[in-house]
Amino acid sequence: MAWNTNLRWRLPLTCLLLQAALVVLFGVFVRYSPDADAHWIEEKGSQNVSSDLDNEFYYRYPSFQDVHVMIFVGFGFLMTFLQRYGYSSVGFNFLLAAFGIQWALLMQGWLHSYHDGYIFVGVENLINADFCVGSVCVAFGALLGKVSPLQLLVMTLFQVTLFSVNEFILLSLLKVKDAGGSMTIHTFGAYFGLTVTWILYRPNLYQSKERQSAVYHSDLFAMIGTLFLWMYWPSFNSAVSNHGDAQHRAAINTYCSLAACVLTAVALSSALHKKGKLDMVHIQNATLAGGVAVGTAAEMMLMPYGSLIVGFICGIISTLGFVYLTPFLESRLRIQDTCGIHNLHGIPGIIGGIVGAVTAACANVHTYGPEGLAHAFDFELGDSNWSASMQGSFQAAGIFVSLAMALVGGILVGIILKLPIWGQPADENCFDDTIYWEVPEDEKKEVFHPEDPTLKPSEP
């Protein structure tokens, strides 16, 4: 079926209307938090704060920078592996993230930071907005190459809304601990994206199959994204943890899990190739699975060896998923997962939720100390209503709530995106920048000319 992919009026009008609406909503609802307000100097005196260095900005901003780089550079470049879709991978990721963080500040603000008729925004809100958009970037990976920028904006609008509701249920109602977002970000984002791409199934996508592969330089660009994500993932998982031991522990656990994951991913990639060669797809993606899987338990007393075990297992499972599960999903379940997000975010996210539930259920006074246990799981010291087994049960429930929200939300949003009004590409034009971008002409191929002996320079 031929689609009208000319977005000359639809895309500008959509962007301008969305931004105008955001300006109005920000004007009505959003104000600076006390740490960012000009009254900070008075606030500082009333709270007996002696130095401006005690401002929340100086504790959180380094982590915010790292997370921000992951969203815009890490995820953007990770998806540049397609040989003719580099502009769209980075550019559309840029677009949806820029819109998503603004909408997330409002949605998360109404649910978490709404007081006296206003949303009070500080640097921690910026980090949480980036987390929310990270979930959208995950879902984008399943749809990469098959959707228009209009569809991505619509998807971002709905997914940010659903993410915020799911996050509120888990963190505020169930009191789940999910520092690195294994459940709220990765599990929700992956299965939401997989459900949407299932609804948007393209039976004739084989007509674009030759463009769904990488070339040498596109894989190299994607590896840049991998390295940025890998280096900054400890900041991602510890960014909103409590200052002190929890944040410190989250960074260590993530660091260890990521390191172990690389070795097992390399080992499996080589073992599964009949000539023992490495597959760049596995190195780009499966090496990050350890960061996903340790997210929920990152600030818990998982212990360094426990983190290594998590990374060890996820490197194996993620690589096996790329080799065997992705082809199965496409051929049998009609799920066309362009980036393999099920192997990098979906399965490791569920593993992370399980690890978090087990680690929480095993928490005890001997391991944490009385005050440490109360501080780690946010309950009053001596509260008889809290128990480790109950916390573990709520953690496990969080997995199923995230899955339910993702599947139901993905079906509804997929049906909306299936409408033939969004300028989506035809099956034979997928994975091609030229549909939505002005692309420079390809350089002319060099023509081989047989060597002419008369043109050789004379010997001295």
Side-chain angles (χ1 to χ4, degrees):
M1 181 183 292
W3 304 98
N4 180 9
T5 57
N6 187 333
L7 303 180
R8 185 176 182 185
W9 298 113
R10 286 177 285 178
L11 182 59
L13 282 174
T14 302
C15 289
L16 291 173
L17 287 173
L18 286 173
Q19 191 57 60
L22 288 167
V23 169
V24 172
L25 290 170
F26 268 66
V28 174
F29 291 106
V30 179
R31 298 294 182 269
Y32 295 121
S33 71
D35 283 53
D37 194 271
H39 293 87
W40 160 252
I41 190 166
E42 301 166 13
E43 192 82 14
K44 186 172 63 172
S46 65
Q47 294 182 4
N48 295 321
V49 176
S50 59
S51 172
D52 285 334
L53 294 177
D54 292 321
N55 191 294
E56 185 76 0
F57 176 86
Y58 296 100
Y59 292 102
R60 298 292 188 194
Y61 191 74
S63 295
F64 164 71
Q65 283 182 304
D66 293 351
V67 173
H68 216 46
V69 168
M70 288 179 69
I71 299 301
F72 287 91
V73 179
F75 280 109
F77 275 89
L78 181 63
M79 292 184 278
T80 59
F81 66 95
L82 295 173
Q83 57 182 285
R84 295 185 58 84
Y85 210 68
Y87 282 18
S88 300
S89 299
V90 177
F92 292 164
N93 184 81
F94 193 11
L95 174 65
L96 68 83
F99 167 58
I101 56 178
Q102 296 176 78
W103 183 229
L105 285 171
L106 289 166
M107 282 303 307
Q108 292 176 315
W110 284 320
L111 293 171
H112 298 286
S113 311
Y114 190 68
H115 307 290
D116 302 323
Y118 293 112
I119 298 167
F120 293 95
V121 172
V123 69
E124 189 168 340
N125 299 82
L126 306 185
I127 296 172
N128 283 316
D130 275 357
F131 281 172
C132 180
V133 167
S135 180
V136 181
C137 294
V138 169
F140 177 35
L143 303 167
L144 187 69
K146 300 171 294 186
V147 290
S148 72
L150 272 180
Q151 287 177 300
L152 290 173
L153 286 171
V154 173
M155 185 188 79
T156 302
L157 178 68
F158 286 104
Q159 188 177 352
V160 167
T161 304
L162 292 167
F163 174 95
S164 301
V165 173
N166 182 60
E167 181 187 52
F168 178 77
I169 293 171
L170 265 64
L171 304 187
S172 299
L173 301 182
L174 296 179
K175 302 296 183 183
V176 162
K177 306 297 289 182
D178 192 26
S182 294
M183 295 181 287
T184 55
I185 299 171
H186 302 286
T187 299
F188 173 79
Y191 288 101
F192 178 90
L194 291 168
T195 305
V196 171
T197 199
W198 175 63
I199 296 292
L200 299 180
Y201 175 73
R202 290 174 173 270
N204 298 316
L205 192 63
Y206 66 88
Q207 296 176 357
S208 298
K209 205 68 177 177
E210 74 280 358
R211 291 190 297 274
Q212 199 180 352
S213 58
V215 291
Y216 191 85
H217 69 268
S218 66
D219 263 338
L220 200 56
F221 270 108
M223 195 64 197
I224 294 172
T226 298
L227 292 175
F228 269 102
L229 291 169
W230 196 91
M231 289 188 300
Y232 288 136
W233 217 295
S235 295
F236 188 92
N237 283 355
S238 63
V240 293
S241 297
N242 291 327
H243 300 320
D245 64 289
Q247 198 166 39
H248 197 165
R249 192 162 53 244
I252 293 172
N253 286 336
T254 309
Y255 184 95
C256 292
S257 184
L258 284 166
C261 188
V262 173
L263 272 72
T264 51
V266 169
L268 261 290
S269 181
S270 176
L272 293 172
H273 191 280
K274 60 183 180 181
K275 293 185 178 180
K277 294 183 179 181
L278 299 174
D279 189 325
M280 199 58 164
V281 172
H282 307 156
I283 309 307
Q284 289 163 355
N285 295 277
T287 54
L288 301 170
V292 174
V294 81
T296 296
E299 61 184 14
M300 300 180 192
M301 292 289 284
L302 182 60
M303 308 306 287
Y305 71 86
S307 303
L308 292 175
I309 293 172
V310 171
F312 184 98
I313 293 171
C314 281
I316 294 173
I317 292 177
S318 181
T319 308
L320 288 172
F322 277 102
V323 175
Y324 299 111
L325 192 54
T326 297
F328 173 82
L329 291 177
E330 182 166 354
S331 62
R332 300 301 177 90
L333 301 183
R334 309 197 337 162
I335 297 175
Q336 296 162 325
D337 181 7
T338 306
C339 291
I341 64 169
H342 191 229
N343 312 309
L344 172 54
H345 301 279
I347 298 175
I350 291 176
I351 292 173
I354 295 171
V355 170
V358 172
T359 308
C362 295
N364 56 67
V365 174
H366 175 73
T367 304
Y368 287 82
E371 293 185 14
L373 187 64
H375 185 64
F377 292 99
D378 294 327
F379 67 91
E380 295 292 330
L381 192 62
D383 184 358
S384 58
N385 293 322
W386 185 92
S387 68
S389 60
M390 182 182 70
Q391 182 68 39
S393 299
F394 282 136
Q395 295 285 147
I399 303 172
F400 294 101
V401 172
S402 293
L403 285 171
M405 288 287 290
L407 297 175
V408 174
I411 291 173
L412 295 176
V413 174
I415 292 172
I416 294 171
L417 297 184
K418 203 173 180 67
L419 297 173
I421 61 175
W422 308 116
Q424 51 266 56
D427 289 357
E428 64 270 18
N429 293 327
C430 289
F431 314 115
D432 194 343
D433 277 335
T434 59
I435 303 301
Y436 301 112
W437 296 86
E438 185 67 32
V439 178
E441 289 186 14
D442 293 332
E443 294 182 9
K444 294 181 179 179
K445 295 182 179 180
E446 292 183 5
V447 180
F448 174 74
H449 297 283
E451 186 178 31
D452 185 352
T454 63
L455 297 178
K456 284 187 176 182
S458 57
E459 295 183 4

